[in-house]
Amino acid sequence: METILTSPTQEVRIGPEHPFVVIGERINPTGRKMLAAEMAAGNFERVKSDALAQVAAGAHMLDVNAGIPMVDEPAILAEAVRLVQELVEVPLCIDSSIVAALEAGLKAYQGKALVNSVTGEEERLESVLPLVAEHKAAVIGITNDESGISHDPDARFAVAKKIVERAESYGIPRQDVLIDPLAMPVGAVNTAGVTLFTITRRVREELGCNTVCGASNISFGLPDRESLNTTFLAMAIAAGMTSAITNPLVESVRKTVLAGDVFMGLDENCMAWLKFQRAAKKAAEGEQEEDRRRSRRRG
Amino acid sequence: METILTSPTQEVRIGPEHPFVVIGERINPTGRKMLAAEMAAGNFERVKSDALAQVAAGAHMLDVNAGIPMVDEPAILAEAVRLVQELVEVPLCIDSSIVAALEAGLKAYQGKALVNSVTGEEERLESVLPLVAEHKAAVIGITNDESGISHDPDARFAVAKKIVERAESYGIPRQDVLIDPLAMPVGAVNTAGVTLFTITRRVREELGCNTVCGASNISFGLPDRESLNTTFLAMAIAAGMTSAITNPLVESVRKTVLAGDVFMGLDENCMAWLKFQRAAKKAAEGEQEEDRRRSRRRG
């Protein structure tokens, strides 16, 4: 059970035998007015710096979204994909709700991309899956359909199963479908956590598919979202989640993912944990030294 | 599947339908020289302040241990149990490797105590279980035996099964046996996390028993133990762990437990989470106010 994504120079493997995969979420104008305005005006400087910063912070892949109202989203998404691929080596996740934009992004992409996303809605299945098959890409299948997002884990699992089977009918092997069990805000839906853990386990055991989720929606509307998000991420990893679209620039997210690998037995001799801690210590010492220098200059 | 512990005024229920139970670990002279010396000299002031502080920090129960070399441990443990029960209302966990000390502690205790612990070793089973049965207490069963601690989850599970069955033969119902699947240091045993999660799940599904663990041993010898411990705790909760002997004075531990309840669907409308966050905010504002007052006085 292994999902392989590639760029011209790198390969990322998602699966229960591999360290958890972090897909950087930052290149997304939703809720980021400045970024949206810049991208709409053809200015991709922030896209580039976000790409570099996320890879430096340990992102294994990057999500690229250009969902800005009233613009030529296909052209902007394709341009963003091209520019990001010139700059960083990690594989990309091409993210849009507009099929023409996914198509333009896939055409611009070099390698095997992850398409974000298809749902269980007939119209989406029939328009997105042929595109995924044509480009030999992988795809995220979100567990909602025409009736919306069910609170019943069985209903959400049934949507996952439908997506996987339909994908196979298009020649997309099930290891190339990553199921997103959907993290609902737990403040509104108290069963959101349990439901997600249950679906995640069933998707692995019964469908043999990997899973991905957006790991910050779960805490929407509650105080101290960072603490909630990291605990949730750890619990999702324990339930078998194999990747997440999240923000690697948040240190606690990065730490939780690395500690998760340690406890899932996927960090041999804790090498990645020790390496991260050494780098963090070095960075902290560097900052202290900088502070001392500054205070000497002032003094 | 519910383990009930009591004091004269309080009842604690451990089980998958209840919020996670934190057993405060601080009243334990192991590795605390000052506390050991004071307890040996009959000075229980620190025991009392540790009891109050842990309950204030949200401990649902307190572990009481008097393991000091070359002292009359039964007398000291009994005295500590009496004094702590005078001071706080939570049920206690009576902790010793010496059977006579467990006996003295149980005699001094008012209510239904948790005994920490029995192992799968014949000599321990035959000496501790009759005592637990006589006092109608509950007991922690640790999954090692004469052959030591196995790295094989099946072997550890077999020890758990043996303890539960032997307890039943003494008239101790299985809901009064809490299994400790043993958190080994993951730095030395890379499979420690996966093994613990596996045993925890099997103990619930196949034995119908609750589980408890010491949640800090897992990170022994590694840097940034707090981050490792909180991620591990979250993952153990997701695997079905129902209680832990840990330090509620560490804020991240407290937060992880509360967030764990949120995601397990055990914190209705996130009331406990919101209450904790409000109290934390108020405490932080109080500190800021105090700082301002101090700087005005100095100024």
Side-chain angles (χ1 to χ4, degrees), chain B residues 15 21 53 129 152-153 166 187 190 193 211 224 251 291:
Chain B
V21 168
L129 292 179
D152 173 9
R166 191 69 64 87
N190 275 207
T211 41
D224 194 2
E251 193 187 52
D291 283 349

Side-chain angles (χ1 to χ4, degrees), chain A residues 134-154:
Chain A
E134 185 197 334
H135 289 271
K136 299 195 184 310
V139 66
I140 296 177
I142 301 188
T143 51
N144 71 295
D145 62 11
E146 286 83 358
S147 61
I149 300 172
S150 173
H151 289 185
D152 174 7
D154 291 344

Side-chain angles (χ1 to χ4, degrees), chain B residues 67-85:
Chain B
I68 307 158
M70 315 286 289
V71 301
D72 184 356
E73 189 176 324
I76 297 180
L77 185 57
E79 183 63 7
V81 163
R82 261 189 297 272
L83 291 171
V84 172
Q85 280 214 297

